[in-house]
Amino acid sequence: MAKVKYYYDQETLSYQKVERRKRKTLGKVTLFVFSSCLVGFLLYLYAGKVYDSPELRSAKRDKQFVEMQMESMEKEIDQLTAVIEEVEDRDNSIYRIYFDANPITEEQRQAGFGGVNRYRNYEGYSNSDKVITLKESIDKLKKRTAIQSKSLDEIAVLAKDQEKLLASIPAIQPVRNQDLTRMASGYGYRTDPFNKTRKFHYGMDFTSPRGTPVFASGDGVVERADANSAGYGNHVRIDHGFGYVSLYAHLRARNPYNVRIGQKVKRGDIIGYVGSTGRSQAPHLHYEVFKDNERINPINFYYGSLTPEEFNELLKKSEQENISLD
């Protein structure tokens, strides 16, 4: 049961019942609630400025992490760019020049990506510019790396061919120096021993005792081993590839060949023996070198078996215009 309150009225000199005004009470309550909400809202705004919410703190940490990673990626891209530039420079200035290949132009290496906007999906974000720059740098690095990879594949093929070429070129003297009686005649105009006329001698004549071993001057395949070419007598021809062919003539009459047609030989293999068959005046080896079906001076290829002193001596003797032996 609610308590009833009274108050003493001075005018009537009696106690009067206290009556509550509902509207006044409701107004006080409403004012209190409104004031409390306003104070709470103001406190919330103040706290939001001074203190971050857990979600906001997490978002800020994520943003800082992304920015740090992007800075790290920029540094790594700069380092990779420096590395690929060094490889490209070596490729153009060393490898491709050494193997006689055309350098790759800077325009080819640095070519961009024209046409459609490749980075449209990265637009519209707070870090769009930086992300697009990084993505573009990565794409250019990928392209430069692909171009360089193809170039190195090409260099590897050229190196393999170069190794094979170096092994195939007729680069040694076909008769050892210790087996030589003398270097009888060189490449150039000489006096023919039969009719005494001056004519061009297309090979080199090495005078040696009958039966002296004759060596293949480079790797190759035996193309001929017969006596069916006028003037050469028993002779061997080796196809070295790359347009090179070597010829070894006037081999001995009995068992002249140490190889057969189609046989693969290595530089230094014994292919036959010195003799005096065909158009020959005395036991010797007549040696010729062909390049693209043209006969060239064999003395230009003896870098594989002679010292500089021996080569100079051989060169001096080969240049003397004397009587050839065939």
Side-chain angles (χ1 to χ4, degrees), residues 7-16:
Y7 71 96
Y8 184 74
D9 189 348
Q10 295 289 339
E11 293 181 358
T12 60
L13 302 176
S14 62
Y15 287 95
Q16 301 293 326

Side-chain angles (χ1 to χ4, degrees), residues 239-291:
D239 185 354
H240 301 280
F242 305 97
Y244 290 99
V245 174
S246 58
L247 181 148
Y248 313 78
H250 309 311
L251 302 180
R252 69 184 183 184
R254 183 180 179 185
N255 299 324
Y257 311 116
N258 200 48
V259 292
R260 64 184 182 280
I261 296 175
Q263 179 179 337
K264 292 183 179 180
V265 294
K266 293 289 186 181
R267 179 181 292 149
D269 288 350
I270 297 176
I271 59 172
Y273 303 91
V274 171
S276 187
T277 57
R279 193 174 184 270
S280 171
Q281 275 203 330
H284 74 288
L285 174 72
H286 176 80
Y287 175 64
E288 294 182 10
V289 173
F290 296 78
K291 177 66 169 74

